[in-house]
Amino acid sequence: MTVRYRSANIDGHNVFYREAGEPGAPKIVLFGGFPSSSHQWRDLIPGLAARGFHVVSPDYPGFGNTTSPAGFDYTFENLSEVIEKWLIQIGFTSFGLYHQDYGGPIGNRIVGRHPEWLQWQIVQNSNAYDEGFTEVWDGIRFKLWTDRNTETEDALRPFLTTEGIKSIYLGGHPDPELISPDNWTVDVAFLDLPGRREAQLDLLEDYKTNPPLYPTWQKALRDNQPRTIIFWGQGDVFFTPAGGEAYLRDLPDAELHRLDAGHFAVEDHVEYIADNITRFFHERVEQSA
């Protein structure tokens, strides 16, 4: 299935995105997370398109091939506003949303402003509950968030090195030979661009704005009951298995798949995920339309 590599100008941002599938097919937006870009979906995008979906995924400002104007303030609110305008420009205003990691804070903000856009959702290691944080967050939650300074920044910089990023990709995945080293090679190449590590530190600090919104997002789940399928890598270095289970409190009809994987479950479960997204759509979404 052909993947097209496109860009859109949004308020001075050159937003890069990948797109595949027929325009009239059911739409899915893929929102990924730290420290990757739409590159993380390089196998899932054509896989879903081949199964009958129209799929897009952007590189956020500060990530991948997207370029941003000087002085842009890297916050989740600002990222969500840029990506919302991008969705409008490309005509994606009714879709299934696949959100992983940072894709949750960005996607939930957008859907909060436009609840009618969300037709259904796929959740994959995308936290919305306090019990979802692993101990890896301690240096961020209890240090960077309370006092950002050179010392608290330097403690996190190892996450922005080749070895740090490699550990995120390999952590919790039982067979490292299934994880392509292209992942950390690509991510580090983008992080080496001017200002990119500082942008990532800004976002790690601004992540503190997300937990206060969890009750709002949870209420929206309870009130709207979007049809939801959850894939949760049980060995994620950032988010606990309890974070995946917690969704069932608010979405008792959601379908939860506990995967023997880590933060990037698509790396070693891409066919399983694509097959079950397709089945779920036909059984639970298409039939109720």
Side-chain angles (χ1 to χ4, degrees):
M1 179 62 66
T2 300
V3 177
R4 297 187 180 275
Y5 305 94
R6 294 179 159 159
S7 61
N9 186 277
I10 307 294
D11 296 339
H13 300 268
N14 189 48
V15 177
F16 172 88
Y17 64 101
R18 301 169 194 245
E19 181 173 5
E22 296 300 321
K27 294 181 177 349
I28 296 179
V29 180
L30 305 177
F31 283 170
F34 173 85
S36 192
S37 62
S38 60
H39 176 265
Q40 77 178 84
W41 309 118
R42 65 198 178 279
D43 295 323
L44 186 60
I45 290 172
L48 289 175
R51 290 166 172 81
F53 296 99
H54 181 196
V55 190
V56 294
S57 180
D59 291 358
Y60 311 131
F63 293 77
N65 289 290
T66 290
T67 58
S68 296
F72 180 71
D73 189 11
Y74 289 93
T75 67
F76 284 93
E77 185 69 19
N78 288 345
L79 263 59
S80 75
E81 290 175 357
V82 172
I83 297 304
E84 177 184 320
K85 291 178 181 179
W86 165 74
L87 288 167
I88 293 170
Q89 185 174 125
I90 68 170
F92 263 67
T93 55
S94 179
F95 48 73
L97 174 60
Y98 188 135
H99 55 92
Q100 183 259 354
D101 189 21
Y102 282 9
I106 292 169
N108 280 310
R109 280 174 166 83
I110 295 171
V111 170
R113 294 190 289 265
H114 301 281
E116 73 280 5
W117 288 7
L118 182 66
Q119 301 303 304
W120 60 295
Q121 66 175 348
I122 306 120
V123 177
Q124 191 245 299
N125 296 82
S126 176
N127 196 42
Y129 297 86
D130 288 336
E131 59 262 50
F133 291 108
T134 68
E135 292 180 358
V136 169
W137 282 91
D138 288 355
I140 304 171
R141 299 170 73 193
F142 307 129
K143 295 180 181 180
L144 184 75
W145 290 0
T146 58
D147 183 15
R148 182 175 177 179
N149 55 51
T150 300
E151 182 179 352
T152 56
E153 286 184 355
D154 287 347
L156 298 175
R157 289 187 185 277
F159 275 121
L160 304 177
T161 66
T162 299
E163 285 305 309
I165 293 171
K166 181 178 178 181
S167 72
I168 296 169
Y169 277 99
L170 297 183
H173 293 275
D175 187 350
E177 292 185 353
L178 295 176
I179 314 300
S180 171
D182 293 347
N183 286 299
W184 48 88
T185 301
V186 169
D187 289 353
V188 170
F190 286 128
L191 282 171
D192 285 341
L193 295 174
R196 287 295 181 88
R197 284 184 173 81
E198 287 69 25
Q200 293 303 323
L201 287 169
D202 288 346
L203 288 169
L204 286 173
E205 180 190 14
D206 192 65
Y207 203 97
K208 66 186 178 185
T209 65
N210 296 324
L213 295 175
Y214 287 175
T216 300
W217 300 345
Q218 293 162 15
K219 184 178 185 301
L221 295 178
R222 289 193 300 273
D223 290 348
N224 300 323
Q225 292 295 306
R227 291 174 290 276
T228 301
I229 183 169
I230 304 165
F231 301 98
W232 205 270
Q234 300 293 284
D236 190 345
V237 298
F238 291 123
F239 300 123
T240 66
E245 303 288 337
Y247 278 93
L248 299 179
R249 292 202 300 266
D250 298 313
L251 296 170
D253 292 331
E255 183 174 306
L256 173 61
H257 296 249
R258 303 166 183 87
L259 304 181
D260 189 10
H263 192 61
F264 291 103
V266 167
E267 288 297 314
D268 47 7
H269 287 77
V270 64
E271 294 297 324
Y272 179 91
I273 289 173
D275 284 346
N276 278 284
I277 287 173
T278 306
R279 175 195 54 76
F280 182 86
F281 173 78
H282 291 307
E283 290 179 358
R284 299 280 300 277
V285 181
E286 187 177 51
Q287 293 299 322
S288 61

